[in-house]
mmCIF file of all heavy atoms in Angstrom:
data_model
loop_
_atom_site.group_PDB
_atom_site.id
_atom_site.type_symbol
_atom_site.label_atom_id
_atom_site.label_comp_id
_atom_site.label_asym_id
_atom_site.label_seq_id
_atom_site.Cartn_x
_atom_site.Cartn_y
_atom_site.Cartn_z
ATOM 1 N N PHE A 120 0.781 4.942 15.043
ATOM 2 C CA PHE A 120 1.876 4.812 16.022
ATOM 3 C C PHE A 120 1.262 4.788 17.476
ATOM 4 O O PHE A 120 0.187 5.363 17.844
ATOM 5 C CB PHE A 120 2.635 6.186 15.939
ATOM 6 C CG PHE A 120 3.521 6.327 14.744
ATOM 7 C CD1 PHE A 120 3.555 7.595 14.102
ATOM 8 C CD2 PHE A 120 4.125 5.280 14.241
ATOM 9 C CE1 PHE A 120 4.328 7.601 12.972
ATOM 10 C CE2 PHE A 120 4.958 5.439 13.118
ATOM 11 C CZ PHE A 120 5.051 6.575 12.428
ATOM 12 N N LEU A 164 6.824 7.348 1.394
ATOM 13 C CA LEU A 164 7.013 7.312 2.761
ATOM 14 C C LEU A 164 6.434 8.420 3.641
ATOM 15 O O LEU A 164 6.015 8.127 4.821
ATOM 16 C CB LEU A 164 8.528 7.275 3.030
ATOM 17 C CG LEU A 164 9.264 5.905 2.438
ATOM 18 C CD1 LEU A 164 10.761 6.129 2.554
ATOM 19 C CD2 LEU A 164 8.856 4.643 3.061
ATOM 20 N N ALA A 165 6.372 9.555 3.059
ATOM 21 C CA ALA A 165 5.859 10.780 3.850
ATOM 22 C C ALA A 165 4.422 10.517 4.134
ATOM 23 O O ALA A 165 3.922 10.786 5.174
ATOM 24 C CB ALA A 165 6.033 12.048 2.886
ATOM 25 N N VAL A 168 4.156 7.849 7.098
ATOM 26 C CA VAL A 168 4.376 8.341 8.514
ATOM 27 C C VAL A 168 3.341 9.304 8.966
ATOM 28 O O VAL A 168 3.017 9.386 10.094
ATOM 29 C CB VAL A 168 5.819 8.871 8.745
ATOM 30 C CG1 VAL A 168 6.888 7.847 8.548
ATOM 31 C CG2 VAL A 168 6.027 10.015 7.740
ATOM 32 N N MET A 169 2.804 10.056 7.993
ATOM 33 C CA MET A 169 1.686 10.969 8.283
ATOM 34 C C MET A 169 0.573 10.365 8.717
ATOM 35 O O MET A 169 -0.050 10.505 9.756
ATOM 36 C CB MET A 169 1.411 11.874 7.067
ATOM 37 C CG MET A 169 0.206 12.863 7.247
ATOM 38 S SD MET A 169 -0.194 13.752 5.722
ATOM 39 C CE MET A 169 -1.030 12.474 4.892
ATOM 40 N N SER A 172 0.625 8.649 12.018
ATOM 41 C CA SER A 172 0.615 9.646 13.205
ATOM 42 C C SER A 172 -0.889 10.086 13.535
ATOM 43 O O SER A 172 -1.094 10.507 14.673
ATOM 44 C CB SER A 172 1.303 10.791 12.931
ATOM 45 O OG SER A 172 0.620 11.690 11.967
ATOM 46 N N ILE A 177 0.618 10.952 17.771
ATOM 47 C CA ILE A 177 1.963 10.774 18.032
ATOM 48 C C ILE A 177 2.863 11.203 16.755
ATOM 49 O O ILE A 177 2.505 10.796 15.671
ATOM 50 C CB ILE A 177 2.407 9.314 18.381
ATOM 51 C CG1 ILE A 177 1.629 9.025 19.748
ATOM 52 C CG2 ILE A 177 3.817 9.034 18.480
ATOM 53 C CD1 ILE A 177 1.636 7.623 20.060
ATOM 54 N N GLY A 178 3.847 12.052 16.985
ATOM 55 C CA GLY A 178 4.657 12.628 15.944
ATOM 56 C C GLY A 178 5.727 11.676 15.374
ATOM 57 O O GLY A 178 5.871 10.504 15.941
ATOM 58 N N PHE A 179 6.508 12.233 14.430
ATOM 59 C CA PHE A 179 7.597 11.387 13.881
ATOM 60 C C PHE A 179 8.627 12.485 13.528
ATOM 61 O O PHE A 179 8.418 13.577 12.975
ATOM 62 C CB PHE A 179 7.036 10.763 12.610
ATOM 63 C CG PHE A 179 8.182 10.084 11.801
ATOM 64 C CD1 PHE A 179 8.709 8.977 11.987
ATOM 65 C CD2 PHE A 179 8.731 10.797 10.608
ATOM 66 C CE1 PHE A 179 9.758 8.381 11.298
ATOM 67 C CE2 PHE A 179 9.702 10.256 9.963
ATOM 68 C CZ PHE A 179 10.364 9.056 10.271
ATOM 69 N N ARG A 180 9.871 12.029 13.667
ATOM 70 C CA ARG A 180 11.153 12.729 13.302
ATOM 71 C C ARG A 180 12.085 11.950 12.441
ATOM 72 O O ARG A 180 12.410 10.778 12.916
ATOM 73 C CB ARG A 180 11.719 13.396 14.577
ATOM 74 C CG ARG A 180 13.001 14.245 14.194
ATOM 75 C CD ARG A 180 13.549 14.735 15.552
ATOM 76 N NE ARG A 180 12.636 15.834 16.219
ATOM 77 C CZ ARG A 180 12.512 17.109 15.782
ATOM 78 N NH1 ARG A 180 13.322 17.559 14.839
ATOM 79 N NH2 ARG A 180 11.653 17.909 16.408
ATOM 80 N N SER A 181 12.366 12.273 11.306
ATOM 81 C CA SER A 181 13.137 11.440 10.444
ATOM 82 C C SER A 181 14.648 11.460 10.891
ATOM 83 O O SER A 181 15.146 12.314 11.680
ATOM 84 C CB SER A 181 13.142 12.209 8.973
ATOM 85 O OG SER A 181 13.842 13.437 8.970
ATOM 86 N N ALA A 182 15.286 10.362 10.451
ATOM 87 C CA ALA A 182 16.704 10.268 10.820
ATOM 88 C C ALA A 182 17.545 10.944 9.722
ATOM 89 O O ALA A 182 17.072 11.254 8.619
ATOM 90 C CB ALA A 182 17.001 8.685 10.634
ATOM 91 N N PRO A 183 18.654 11.257 10.057
ATOM 92 C CA PRO A 183 19.586 11.928 9.037
ATOM 93 C C PRO A 183 19.884 11.084 7.845
ATOM 94 O O PRO A 183 19.807 9.769 7.982
ATOM 95 C CB PRO A 183 20.876 12.186 9.781
ATOM 96 C CG PRO A 183 20.660 11.776 11.180
ATOM 97 C CD PRO A 183 19.417 11.052 11.220
ATOM 98 N N GLY A 184 20.156 11.657 6.688
ATOM 99 C CA GLY A 184 20.496 10.754 5.502
ATOM 100 C C GLY A 184 19.531 11.265 4.422
ATOM 101 O O GLY A 184 18.469 11.801 4.614
ATOM 102 N N ILE A 186 16.786 10.258 1.898
ATOM 103 C CA ILE A 186 15.693 9.283 1.672
ATOM 104 C C ILE A 186 14.719 9.982 0.771
ATOM 105 O O ILE A 186 14.414 11.065 0.842
ATOM 106 C CB ILE A 186 15.042 8.813 2.978
ATOM 107 C CG1 ILE A 186 16.032 8.196 3.927
ATOM 108 C CG2 ILE A 186 13.916 7.934 2.813
ATOM 109 C CD1 ILE A 186 15.549 7.880 5.258
ATOM 110 N N TRP A 188 11.351 10.521 0.052
ATOM 111 C CA TRP A 188 10.009 10.403 0.946
ATOM 112 C C TRP A 188 8.693 10.464 0.014
ATOM 113 O O TRP A 188 7.675 10.182 0.528
ATOM 114 C CB TRP A 188 10.013 11.597 1.844
ATOM 115 C CG TRP A 188 10.976 11.425 2.944
ATOM 116 C CD1 TRP A 188 12.247 11.964 2.976
ATOM 117 C CD2 TRP A 188 10.948 10.677 4.117
ATOM 118 N NE1 TRP A 188 12.949 11.539 4.072
ATOM 119 C CE2 TRP A 188 12.084 10.886 4.843
ATOM 120 C CE3 TRP A 188 9.930 9.937 4.767
ATOM 121 C CZ2 TRP A 188 12.387 10.264 6.104
ATOM 122 C CZ3 TRP A 188 10.070 9.361 5.987
ATOM 123 C CH2 TRP A 188 11.300 9.546 6.719
ATOM 124 N N TYR A 189 8.821 10.760 -1.268
ATOM 125 C CA TYR A 189 7.559 11.077 -1.966
ATOM 126 C C TYR A 189 7.464 10.224 -3.302
ATOM 127 O O TYR A 189 6.455 10.460 -4.109
ATOM 128 C CB TYR A 189 7.695 12.473 -2.368
ATOM 129 C CG TYR A 189 7.648 13.474 -1.200
ATOM 130 C CD1 TYR A 189 8.843 14.010 -0.718
ATOM 131 C CD2 TYR A 189 6.594 13.714 -0.361
ATOM 132 C CE1 TYR A 189 8.975 14.868 0.395
ATOM 133 C CE2 TYR A 189 6.484 14.491 0.768
ATOM 134 C CZ TYR A 189 7.806 15.059 1.103
ATOM 135 O OH TYR A 189 7.863 15.835 2.221
ATOM 136 N N LEU A 213 14.107 4.763 9.325
ATOM 137 C CA LEU A 213 13.523 6.037 8.799
ATOM 138 C C LEU A 213 13.625 7.138 9.778
ATOM 139 O O LEU A 213 13.651 8.296 9.439
ATOM 140 C CB LEU A 213 12.134 5.842 8.370
ATOM 141 C CG LEU A 213 11.975 4.867 7.179
ATOM 142 C CD1 LEU A 213 10.402 4.834 6.954
ATOM 143 C CD2 LEU A 213 12.750 5.442 5.944
ATOM 144 N N GLY A 214 13.482 6.803 11.117
ATOM 145 C CA GLY A 214 13.412 7.798 12.182
ATOM 146 C C GLY A 214 12.911 7.322 13.386
ATOM 147 O O GLY A 214 12.895 6.003 13.639
ATOM 148 N N ALA A 215 12.119 8.121 14.174
ATOM 149 C CA ALA A 215 11.533 7.559 15.377
ATOM 150 C C ALA A 215 10.270 8.370 15.668
ATOM 151 O O ALA A 215 10.054 9.419 15.121
ATOM 152 C CB ALA A 215 12.504 7.779 16.565
ATOM 153 N N THR A 216 9.389 7.804 16.483
ATOM 154 C CA THR A 216 8.141 8.255 16.824
ATOM 155 C C THR A 216 8.524 9.432 17.960
ATOM 156 O O THR A 216 9.592 9.369 18.640
ATOM 157 C CB THR A 216 7.170 7.384 17.405
ATOM 158 O OG1 THR A 216 7.806 6.679 18.515
ATOM 159 C CG2 THR A 216 6.702 6.382 16.420
ATOM 160 N N ALA A 217 7.700 10.442 18.054
ATOM 161 C CA ALA A 217 8.056 11.601 18.991
ATOM 162 C C ALA A 217 6.845 12.068 19.645
ATOM 163 O O ALA A 217 5.678 11.941 19.185
ATOM 164 C CB ALA A 217 8.577 12.812 18.070
ATOM 165 N N ALA A 218 6.948 12.676 20.909
ATOM 166 C CA ALA A 218 5.875 13.090 21.645
ATOM 167 C C ALA A 218 5.273 14.351 21.039
ATOM 168 O O ALA A 218 4.089 14.620 21.238
ATOM 169 C CB ALA A 218 6.348 13.492 23.037
ATOM 170 N N GLU A 219 6.129 15.215 20.412
ATOM 171 C CA GLU A 219 5.563 16.381 19.831
ATOM 172 C C GLU A 219 4.654 16.013 18.637
ATOM 173 O O GLU A 219 4.981 15.179 17.795
ATOM 174 C CB GLU A 219 6.841 17.306 19.173
ATOM 175 C CG GLU A 219 6.244 18.526 18.490
ATOM 176 C CD GLU A 219 7.446 19.183 17.807
ATOM 177 O OE1 GLU A 219 8.530 18.711 17.830
ATOM 178 O OE2 GLU A 219 7.163 20.295 17.263
ATOM 179 N N PRO A 220 3.479 16.503 18.725
ATOM 180 C CA PRO A 220 2.473 16.168 17.481
ATOM 181 C C PRO A 220 2.782 16.852 16.306
ATOM 182 O O PRO A 220 1.971 17.766 15.819
ATOM 183 C CB PRO A 220 1.153 16.669 18.138
ATOM 184 C CG PRO A 220 1.514 17.783 19.124
ATOM 185 C CD PRO A 220 2.757 17.436 19.730
ATOM 186 N N ALA A 221 3.824 16.493 15.571
ATOM 187 C CA ALA A 221 4.255 16.986 14.357
ATOM 188 C C ALA A 221 5.023 15.993 13.582
ATOM 189 O O ALA A 221 5.584 15.024 14.070
ATOM 190 C CB ALA A 221 4.978 18.260 14.602
ATOM 191 N N ILE A 222 5.021 16.126 12.409
ATOM 192 C CA ILE A 222 5.840 15.323 11.387
ATOM 193 C C ILE A 222 6.961 16.252 10.930
ATOM 194 O O ILE A 222 6.877 17.287 10.428
ATOM 195 C CB ILE A 222 5.074 14.980 10.119
ATOM 196 C CG1 ILE A 222 3.766 14.123 10.488
ATOM 197 C CG2 ILE A 222 5.896 14.070 9.184
ATOM 198 C CD1 ILE A 222 4.043 12.952 11.323
ATOM 199 N N VAL A 223 8.142 15.775 11.298
ATOM 200 C CA VAL A 223 9.416 16.479 10.873
ATOM 201 C C VAL A 223 10.319 15.606 9.935
ATOM 202 O O VAL A 223 10.790 14.505 10.428
ATOM 203 C CB VAL A 223 10.341 16.806 12.166
ATOM 204 C CG1 VAL A 223 11.486 17.620 11.773
ATOM 205 C CG2 VAL A 223 9.437 17.637 13.245
ATOM 206 N N ILE A 224 10.472 16.107 8.837
ATOM 207 C CA ILE A 224 11.345 15.370 7.839
ATOM 208 C C ILE A 224 12.321 16.407 7.302
ATOM 209 O O ILE A 224 12.117 17.337 6.652
ATOM 210 C CB ILE A 224 10.370 14.927 6.541
ATOM 211 C CG1 ILE A 224 9.382 13.861 7.053
ATOM 212 C CG2 ILE A 224 11.359 14.329 5.464
ATOM 213 C CD1 ILE A 224 8.278 13.378 5.973
ATOM 214 N N GLY A 225 13.562 16.053 7.682
ATOM 215 C CA GLY A 225 14.591 17.055 7.363
ATOM 216 C C GLY A 225 14.340 18.323 7.937
ATOM 217 O O GLY A 225 14.049 18.457 9.238
ATOM 218 N N ASP A 226 14.417 19.338 7.106
ATOM 219 C CA ASP A 226 14.133 20.831 7.626
ATOM 220 C C ASP A 226 12.560 21.208 7.583
ATOM 221 O O ASP A 226 12.212 22.292 7.962
ATOM 222 C CB ASP A 226 14.966 21.795 6.828
ATOM 223 C CG ASP A 226 16.343 21.628 6.952
ATOM 224 O OD1 ASP A 226 16.840 21.149 8.128
ATOM 225 O OD2 ASP A 226 17.124 21.845 6.037
ATOM 226 N N ASP A 227 11.745 20.187 7.087
ATOM 227 C CA ASP A 227 10.385 20.557 6.950
ATOM 228 C C ASP A 227 9.605 20.047 8.157
ATOM 229 O O ASP A 227 9.937 18.817 8.613
ATOM 230 C CB ASP A 227 9.855 19.893 5.785
ATOM 231 C CG ASP A 227 10.454 20.554 4.449
ATOM 232 O OD1 ASP A 227 10.694 21.642 4.443
ATOM 233 O OD2 ASP A 227 10.464 19.798 3.377
ATOM 234 N N ALA A 228 8.585 20.687 8.638
ATOM 235 C CA ALA A 228 7.828 20.314 9.753
ATOM 236 C C ALA A 228 6.313 20.785 9.535
ATOM 237 O O ALA A 228 6.104 21.792 8.921
ATOM 238 C CB ALA A 228 8.373 20.794 11.131
ATOM 239 N N ALA A 229 5.402 19.864 10.035
ATOM 240 C CA ALA A 229 4.053 20.331 9.960
ATOM 241 C C ALA A 229 3.325 19.721 11.177
ATOM 242 O O ALA A 229 3.664 18.546 11.376
ATOM 243 C CB ALA A 229 3.387 19.991 8.688
ATOM 244 N N SER A 230 2.360 20.331 11.750
ATOM 245 C CA SER A 230 1.686 19.783 12.762
ATOM 246 C C SER A 230 0.678 18.785 12.432
ATOM 247 O O SER A 230 0.181 18.735 11.225
ATOM 248 C CB SER A 230 0.871 20.868 13.568
ATOM 249 O OG SER A 230 -0.175 21.207 12.902
ATOM 250 N N ILE A 231 0.465 17.746 13.299
ATOM 251 C CA ILE A 231 -0.491 16.688 12.876
ATOM 252 C C ILE A 231 -1.899 17.294 12.678
ATOM 253 O O ILE A 231 -2.588 16.780 11.715
ATOM 254 C CB ILE A 231 -0.438 15.562 13.918
ATOM 255 C CG1 ILE A 231 0.890 14.799 13.951
ATOM 256 C CG2 ILE A 231 -1.633 14.539 13.694
ATOM 257 C CD1 ILE A 231 1.114 13.877 15.042
ATOM 258 N N LEU A 234 -2.136 18.649 9.186
ATOM 259 C CA LEU A 234 -2.166 17.586 8.194
ATOM 260 C C LEU A 234 -3.304 16.815 8.097
ATOM 261 O O LEU A 234 -3.966 16.569 6.955
ATOM 262 C CB LEU A 234 -1.010 16.711 8.300
ATOM 263 C CG LEU A 234 0.484 17.243 8.195
ATOM 264 C CD1 LEU A 234 1.506 16.400 8.703
ATOM 265 C CD2 LEU A 234 0.682 17.609 6.713
#
Side-chain angles (χ1 to χ4, degrees):
F120 288 143
L164 297 173
V168 296
M169 176 185 75
S172 75
I177 293 168
F179 170 83
R180 183 173 293 274
S181 67
I186 297 174
W188 292 91
Y189 300 99
L213 293 177
T216 55
E219 179 187 3
I222 305 297
V223 182
I224 296 176
D226 295 329
D227 294 331
S230 73
I231 292 174
L234 293 169

